[in-house]
Amino acid sequence: MPYDLEQVKDWRLMPPRNGDEPEVLGAVRTARRPRSEGFHLGERLRQLRKERGMTLEDAGRLTALAASTLSKIENDQMSPTFDVVQKLATGFDIDITELFASNSGQDATGRRSVTMDGGGRLMETAVYRHRLIAAELKNKQILPFVTTIKARSLEDFKTWSQHSGEEFLYVLEGEICFQTEHYEPAILGVGDSIYINSSMQHACYSTSEEDAVVLWINTG
């Protein structure tokens, strides 16, 4: 399916930033989901907060996130975006992968992680379905994801993504339009890639008939 030329022409129209939306960063409000075996982000966040003797308001000031947002994450009522996860890691002064690592993760000079096809830990939002690869390893220098791009237009984004570090995206299936704050849109197909500074606002949506799938790598 061809991409919408009129939509691409409007790439400079950034999503509005008002109310509490910058703090929520477009995180999805969903019904309570079954807890995944062996891992639960909400429990991990609550553990970090309790270990430090913090209320939700204390943790909110530390992470620059609303207390209501933290409560929804702890109670498995929200799937946080990558931006929100990074704020949690920065606020609690831990490596971002520690939010997802199981107890089997070990620090060592010689280590490896094998993720079989379909493996990894899921982070799902309204616009992306991320599958975190090598999830059990702590203190990784890079964060690899295999991501299904569910978004179909810029209208699907309440806010664009923006965080520290750099990132690389390689298209595995389908076609995408990658929008950035300072550049013209890039239409990318299978085998195409893009590398950006993540502090620049960015968003990405599928322009193919089926959801596109990409390899997405962020620096930790």
Side-chain angles (χ1 to χ4, degrees), residues 11 13-15 17 25 81-83 86 127-128 130 145 149 151 153-154 156-169 176-186 194-205 216-219:
W11 68 280
L13 300 178
M14 306 301 289
R17 290 177 171 264
L25 290 171
T81 62
F82 181 82
D83 311 61
Q86 190 169 56
V127 290
Y128 304 131
H130 298 297
F145 300 84
I149 310 296
S153 74
L154 289 182
D156 292 336
F157 295 84
K158 293 182 179 179
T159 61
W160 291 19
S161 185
Q162 184 179 36
H163 49 88
S164 63
E166 298 180 330
E167 59 193 79
F168 171 80
L169 180 149
I176 65 170
C177 178
F178 199 100
Q179 304 263 359
T180 51
E181 184 177 359
H182 303 303
Y183 294 88
E184 294 284 341
I194 188 169
Y195 191 108
I196 67 167
N197 184 317
S198 306
S199 63
M200 177 172 54
Q201 292 187 65
H202 53 282
C204 167
Y205 60 88
W216 211 330
I217 300 174
N218 290 267
T219 57

Side-chain angles (χ1 to χ4, degrees), residues 101-102 104-106 110-116 119-121 132-138 140 142 144:
S102 64
S104 62
Q106 296 181 353
R111 58 179 184 165
R112 76 170 196 174
S113 172
V114 176
T115 303
M116 305 303 288
R121 293 207 171 96
L132 180 61
I133 306 302
E136 78 280 6
L137 290 184
K138 298 181 180 180
K140 295 193 292 289
I142 61 171

Side-chain angles (χ1 to χ4, degrees), residues 30-104:
T30 60
R32 182 181 295 271
R33 296 179 302 281
R35 298 182 178 185
S36 57
E37 183 177 352
F39 171 75
H40 183 55
L41 179 60
E43 289 180 353
R44 177 61 173 144
L45 176 57
R46 185 180 294 110
Q47 176 190 17
L48 290 169
R49 183 170 60 81
K50 295 296 186 182
E51 285 175 352
R52 292 161 172 76
M54 292 180 175
T55 64
L56 286 168
E57 288 72 20
D58 294 333
R61 286 189 289 271
L62 192 71
T63 59
L65 294 168
S68 59
T69 298
L70 296 175
S71 177
K72 287 179 177 127
I73 296 173
E74 286 191 3
N75 289 288
D76 204 23
Q77 295 173 341
M78 174 182 290
S79 295
T81 62
F82 181 82
D83 311 61
V84 171
V85 171
Q86 190 169 56
K87 284 190 175 186
L88 292 173
T90 300
F92 284 104
D93 193 26
I94 61 174
D95 185 88
I96 194 170
T97 56
E98 292 186 46
L99 288 170
F100 298 94
S102 64
N103 291 333
S104 62

